[in-house]
Amino acid sequence: MRSMRKRKSFLKLKKINKMKTKEIINQTRWTMDQVHSEIIFKVRHLMIAHVKGAFKTFDANIYTTDKDFTTAEIDLWIDVSSITTGDAKRDEHLLSKDFFDAANHKQISFASSTIRKADANGNHELWGELTIKGITHNIKLNVKFGGIVKDPWGNEKAGFSVDGKINRNDWGLILNVPLEGGGVMIGEEIAISCK
């Protein structure tokens, strides 16, 4: 989620004290800049190394009041079949019923609920519902705001990095293989990074 483009503003009607009044809300729609954004993940493998992967196809609708991202409403979706780990056989296995069951669950989605104001270091907490395989859980992500700039073509862009950790078992991604020397082949904790 490195950068997003500003789209447009809206008018919103609001009822106050039984009277209809027009309140101008400078609501801005931001879209994902696909060329400069990525969603990647990392999981422990064989207890001693990590496997990294990415989802190549994703998009989001993001609305803010003016340019205040603490007011953001975020709806993100990811095409499960776009997963890549650099190993075609592993990717095929990840799409099977053992893991993502992509034939029956084509998308991963995230819908924000709360963004807490920045701490002293400029870090925000983003809370929302993550749905994988039809299972939804509330998660916390850490957000670092990089700023807003205009590119050479006059497009306004905002930059972010988003990081978090989830336990894959919570979403039914539970297959594992015990190792002879102890431990398991695949770690439970998944590190997520969006830039």
Side-chain angles (χ1 to χ4, degrees), residues 64-77:
T64 61
T65 301
D66 294 314
K67 298 176 189 176
D68 180 3
F69 280 92
T70 62
T71 67
E73 297 172 16
I74 303 164
D75 286 305
L76 168 77
W77 57 96

Side-chain angles (χ1 to χ4, degrees), residues 39-44 50-55 141 162-168 187-194:
I39 297 178
I40 57 177
F41 61 89
K42 182 171 73 170
V43 62
R44 186 167 291 284
H50 287 90
V51 168
K52 294 180 183 178
F55 291 98
L141 299 168
V162 180
D163 299 289
K165 294 179 181 177
I166 62 170
N167 184 319
R168 65 186 179 89
E188 294 179 353
E189 185 178 85
I190 308 291
I192 304 166
S193 181
C194 309

Side-chain angles (χ1 to χ4, degrees), residues 1 62 69-76 110-117 123-129 138-144 160-164 194:
M1 269 207 269
I62 302 163
F69 280 92
T70 62
T71 67
E73 297 172 16
I74 303 164
D75 286 305
L76 168 77
F110 175 80
S112 67
S113 56
T114 306
I115 300 176
R116 295 200 178 149
K117 294 204 180 277
N123 299 308
H124 299 263
E125 280 185 7
L126 170 61
W127 289 85
E129 294 187 335
N138 200 40
I139 65 167
K140 179 186 89 165
L141 299 168
N142 303 308
V143 180
K144 183 77 173 180
F160 296 89
S161 60
V162 180
D163 299 289
C194 309

Side-chain angles (χ1 to χ4, degrees), residues 89-154:
K89 286 186 179 178
R90 178 170 48 224
D91 295 348
E92 187 177 327
H93 191 201
L94 288 170
L95 294 173
S96 75
K97 286 187 177 185
D98 286 343
F99 291 99
F100 287 105
D101 190 12
N104 295 305
H105 302 282
K106 299 187 184 313
Q107 287 189 341
I108 295 169
S109 65
F110 175 80
S112 67
S113 56
T114 306
I115 300 176
R116 295 200 178 149
K117 294 204 180 277
D119 63 18
N121 298 315
N123 299 308
H124 299 263
E125 280 185 7
L126 170 61
W127 289 85
E129 294 187 335
L130 177 66
T131 303
I132 302 173
K133 287 180 69 172
I135 301 168
T136 302
H137 290 290
N138 200 40
I139 65 167
K140 179 186 89 165
L141 299 168
N142 303 308
V143 180
K144 183 77 173 180
F145 179 50
I148 299 174
V149 298
K150 280 195 177 178
D151 68 16
W153 301 273

